[in-house]
Amino acid sequence: MVRETSLSVDNLIAPFFVCEGKGVRHEIGSMPEIYRFSVDTLLGAVKEIHSLGIPALILFGIPDKKDAVGSEAYNPDGIVQRAIREIKSAIPEMVVITDVCIDEYTDHGHCGVVREGRVLNDPTLELLAKMAVTHARAGADIVAPSDMMDGRVRAIRGNLDENGFPDTVILSYAAKYASAFYGPFREAADSAPQFGDRTTYQMDPGNSDEALREVLQDIEEGADMVMVKPALPYLDIIRRVRETVHVPVSAYNVSGEYSMIRAAARQGWLDEERVMMETLLSIKRAGAQNILTYFARKAAQILQK
Ligand code: PBG
């Protein structure tokens, strides 16, 4: 009766990896029960989360061809663009969010254009803006830039507006840390950087004020919603952001957070269901209205009971 926070299925956003081919349903080694789907098999999985009442999903593309500038990322007929069209035509009310970042599409695995071993901010903006428009044109409701280049929200907003997509929402991965918790995702998306790391564009885990600067800058540039990522090691950041801004705040309960709970549960060391629900509730209590989580389907099943 007096509980302050409760978790609802409306808070959940389910991530999906989509790849080329037909009939593909390939389980990620480090993420039990999380799969790479081809577009045809993806639809069945999306229908399942829809029937559980999950309102939204986020798509990550795994193209067959990668190159230095991530061309497949902004191919109007690319893997994510096709997946969006299929999902929106089968289930129009499903909110489709897309990850806007070129790391899954570049052969070097970085989130930006690389020259002489450096990741360049400004030349990357145009590619991200182009990518976002192809997603909007395919029917995406929300585009979510996860690259952490400075100025990307303004570039994306401008290009969406110019191309007739003023209503496409921007959910910015505003405070995204250079985290070791992304390890299993990089296996899933085959996007580990081939040299160096992401510390020139993602945030230092020691910084908290900087998160507020990043968030405020993205809102100033036109972000409609902001995200903190990862979630569990950064609950303090979620809380500070929630108290500083008045746009919806999301948190990404990332791959490593999922894998460690699954791994401990497999060993019999943790009660998986209870730890999962406590984790998600805590992320919400910290201040996140929406949680991107690989637990979405399982949590929705429990919430439905
Ligand atoms: C970049 C991106 C990453 C994740 C989401 N978007 C990987 C990275 O920055 O290396 C990680 C998500 C997760 O770990 O679940 N496109």
Side-chain angles (χ1 to χ4, degrees):
M1 191 178 88
V2 294
R3 193 179 214 192
E4 295 171 32
T5 307
S6 58
L7 188 69
S8 149
V9 74
D10 289 331
N11 304 132
L12 304 173
I13 300 173
F16 284 103
F17 298 103
V18 56
C19 64
E20 301 284 351
K22 261 207 153 71
V24 182
R25 189 171 177 277
H26 171 80
E27 191 173 23
I28 317 298
S30 51
M31 301 177 75
E33 291 182 87
I34 299 298
Y35 303 88
R36 288 184 183 185
F37 292 109
S38 47
V39 175
D40 54 332
T41 53
L42 175 69
L43 269 188
V46 172
K47 283 181 182 150
E48 189 188 358
I49 63 142
H50 179 245
S51 72
L52 288 166
I54 296 175
L57 58 82
I58 179 162
L59 292 175
F60 296 95
I62 304 151
D64 274 350
K65 282 181 296 186
K66 301 189 186 227
D67 62 23
V69 289
S71 309
E72 277 302 302
Y74 34 90
N75 174 355
D77 243 343
I79 183 66
V80 163
Q81 291 81 352
R82 273 179 282 142
I84 301 166
R85 285 198 291 267
E86 293 288 330
I87 295 168
K88 288 306 278 189
S89 81
I91 316 170
E93 67 273 26
M94 176 57 75
V95 176
V96 174
I97 308 174
T98 57
D99 186 81
V100 175
C101 184
I102 62 173
D103 66 324
E104 294 119 62
Y105 303 88
T106 53
D107 48 18
H108 47 71
H110 274 291
C111 304
V113 172
V114 170
R115 247 169 249 152
E116 288 159 14
R118 289 179 61 202
V119 179
L120 300 185
N121 192 95
D122 293 6
T124 306
L125 302 182
E126 189 193 329
L127 306 184
L128 296 167
K130 226 162 56 172
M131 183 177 183
V133 167
T134 63
H135 291 172
R137 190 162 282 133
D141 302 285
I142 302 179
V143 293
S146 71
D147 52 283
M148 285 299 277
M149 300 298 136
D150 290 333
R152 79 279 171 69
V153 175
R154 179 170 286 122
I156 290 170
R157 182 74 273 158
N159 209 30
L160 286 171
D161 291 354
E162 258 168 49
N163 283 278
F165 300 104
D167 299 325
T168 305
V169 170
I170 299 180
L171 161 58
S172 137
Y173 287 68
K176 176 173 175 181
Y177 286 86
S179 172
F181 284 90
Y182 307 147
F185 175 97
R186 292 177 188 171
E187 181 200 335
D190 185 24
S191 65
Q194 297 305 300
F195 66 89
D197 57 32
R198 302 209 203 290
T199 55
T200 61
Y201 43 105
Q202 297 182 349
M203 286 181 49
D204 180 344
N207 289 1
S208 169
D209 292 342
E210 188 188 7
L212 300 185
R213 287 202 297 278
E214 291 281 2
V215 163
L216 291 172
Q217 183 183 333
D218 282 2
I219 293 174
E220 162 83 24
E221 290 181 20
D224 303 287
M225 304 163 71
V226 293
M227 193 199 300
V228 175
K229 177 184 174 188
L232 207 51
Y234 298 91
L235 294 181
D236 58 321
I237 308 297
I238 297 172
R239 169 56 35 189
R240 277 194 87 188
V241 169
R242 166 76 281 160
E243 286 176 354
T244 305
V245 304
H246 299 94
V247 298
V249 176
S250 298
Y252 201 141
N253 176 225
V254 302
S255 56
E257 298 174 60
Y258 175 82
S259 301
M260 67 185 183
I261 292 175
R262 295 300 307 251
R266 266 197 182 176
Q267 296 282 338
W269 293 343
L270 282 178
D271 178 332
E272 181 173 314
E273 250 185 53
R274 289 185 55 205
V275 170
M276 164 181 79
M277 297 311 276
E278 182 179 336
T279 299
L280 297 174
L281 182 66
S282 299
I283 295 168
K284 177 139 184 229
R285 189 199 61 238
Q289 175 166 1
N290 296 104
I291 306 168
L292 294 84
T293 178
Y294 302 95
F295 286 119
R297 186 175 57 87
K298 278 182 177 254
Q301 281 165 345
I302 291 172
L303 289 167
Q304 234 188 20
K305 273 191 222 149

